[in-house]
Structures are given as C-alpha cells and as structure tokens.
Amino acid sequence: MKTLRILAATAALSLCAGGASAAIMSATYTGVLNYESGPSDLFGLGGATMVGQAYELNYIYDTQLGQLHPFSAGSFLQGGSALGQDHFMSSVTLTINNIAVVLTNPQIAQAELVPDHQLQAPGNHATGSVCHDGEVAPGAHPYFYACLNTLDPVPADYDTAFTAFADPLSNSFAALIFPGVLVFQGGPDKVVVTKVGESPGAVGGVPEPATWALMILGFGAAGSMLRRRERFAGA
C-alpha cells in the first residue's frame, strides 16, 4: 500500500510538470534619454531638458494570452483589443525622476525575441535582440517602444527569465511618445526579464511519454492491490 501511494503521488506530480508552460512575465529596460522634441514638465523637472535623465520602462504580460507569430530569426507575441485579440499585456510603466506614467491594457501590444539576429539583419554586429511595445490606442499616444540589440544569449521561448546588455556597436532604441507628438528617445543599456507569476489561463498539456509510463505503472499497482483484496475477501 505504501508503494501504491508513492507511485500515485509521483504520477500526479509528473502530470502537473508535463503541462504547457505559461507565465506572467516582466520586462524592464533601463537607459538614459539622449533626445527630446521639446520642453516638458511631465516628470517634475520644471521644463528643464530631459536629455541625460535616466528612465525605466517596464512591461507586464501574460504569455498564455499573446498570439505567437514565428519567423525565420525568432518570433513575436501580439495582442490587444484593436487587433481583435486578448489584452496579453496588462501594463506598461515609464518612470523618470521617480514619477511614473502607466498605460493599462494597451490596445496594441507586442513582445519580440530574436535569438539569431544575423538571420533578421545580416551584417549587424549584434547576435540577438529583445523588443517590446505598447500603444494606448491605434494612432494615439502615449506609445512606448524599446528594442535592445545584444551579444548575450536570447531565449526562443517567452517563459524564460534572462538579462541582456546592449551591444555598444549596435543601435538599441527606445521611443517614448506622448500626445502632441512630444518625443523622448534613448537606447536602453539593459533589459531584465523575470517571471512574476503563473498565468491564470494556463492549462495542463499532454503528458510526456515518461509520465504516461509512470501513470500506467501506478494504475497497474492499484489494480493488482484491488484484485488481491478480492481474493482475500473470497477466501
């Protein structure tokens, strides 16, 4: 009986582990602004230049909800009500001078991973790239976009945490556009992608072959025990 409990528990754990992966992910870009289209007091600087100000740009998204579009060098996840799809990106937050501007459920959003940048842009010095963007509504602002070209490894799947630094010989880019066509730019220096939770919509996948074997072994042991009990009861 003790053996049966262990087999059943192990099979159940293996079945859970064999499910499809899906997660709530956070991607945070950091950098310094190097361009502004005009003066602004959006971030409490009294109209002083934004050039030289550090920024943080964070994207929160559910990898289960985004629609995956593969291409030769990588893939992108896309979603939003303007595309007739789920809001897979729940928020985009831009922080400058400790003041945050938050876009909630942008109507157009995208996350892109390019593990092999040479297939996408032959001759580019970078080996991979990571990009995210969120737009409050089609053709409307705010619109926050960041793309980092890197020599660090970029995973092919969207549920893997990683950190990548900008390749100084490639053109990483960020565009932070506000109403009135007020534009700030500055290439990110780093992106940190982390898992912050499980996707509420995640469902179990098809068990692996090893999992099926373990489950069958457990069920077989259970049947054997039942047959033995029946024989003893009839004796």
Side-chain angles (χ1 to χ4, degrees):
M1 193 64 166
K2 182 178 179 181
T3 303
L4 176 61
R5 285 199 298 267
I6 293 173
L7 286 170
T10 306
L13 286 173
S14 298
L15 177 60
C16 293
S21 61
I24 307 296
M25 303 297 290
S26 167
T28 302
Y29 295 81
T30 51
V32 176
L33 299 177
N34 58 22
Y35 170 83
E36 63 179 354
S37 63
S40 168
D41 195 25
L42 281 173
F43 295 93
L45 296 174
T49 180
M50 298 282 285
V51 173
Q53 288 291 319
Y55 69 86
E56 180 181 281
L57 188 54
N58 173 259
Y59 301 83
I60 303 292
Y61 51 100
D62 185 340
T63 62
Q64 178 78 5
L65 298 179
Q67 291 201 4
L68 182 65
H69 300 270
F71 55 93
S72 60
S75 66
F76 64 90
L77 280 177
Q78 191 175 57
S81 58
L83 303 173
Q85 301 170 5
D86 290 322
H87 284 288
F88 90 101
M89 190 171 287
S90 59
S91 68
V92 185
T93 304
L94 170 65
T95 305
I96 299 174
N97 193 34
N98 294 318
I99 296 176
V101 174
V102 182
L103 306 184
T104 303
N105 292 328
Q107 292 187 21
I108 299 177
Q110 183 168 300
E112 180 181 276
L113 295 177
V114 180
D116 191 346
H117 205 286
Q118 295 303 312
L119 286 176
Q120 186 180 45
N124 192 303
H125 190 263
T127 55
S129 65
V130 187
C131 306
H132 291 78
D133 70 78
E135 188 172 358
V136 65
H141 302 137
Y143 167 67
F144 299 152
Y145 168 80
C147 193
L148 180 138
N149 294 317
T150 184
L151 295 172
D152 296 317
V154 174
D157 68 277
Y158 289 85
D159 303 323
T160 299
F162 67 98
T163 297
F165 293 87
D167 172 18
L169 299 182
S170 299
N171 183 31
S172 295
F173 183 75
L176 316 170
I177 307 175
F178 290 88
V181 199
L182 180 63
V183 180
F184 305 115
Q185 294 176 359
D189 302 316
K190 180 174 72 170
V191 62
V192 178
V193 178
T194 58
K195 180 179 177 179
V196 296
E198 299 294 336
S199 170
V203 295
V206 177
E208 298 291 335
T211 303
W212 279 118
L214 192 56
M215 290 172 64
I216 292 169
L217 181 61
F219 296 149
S224 176
M225 291 294 293
L226 288 173
R227 287 191 297 273
R228 286 175 60 190
R229 284 185 175 182
E230 289 174 356
R231 286 200 300 270
F232 290 148

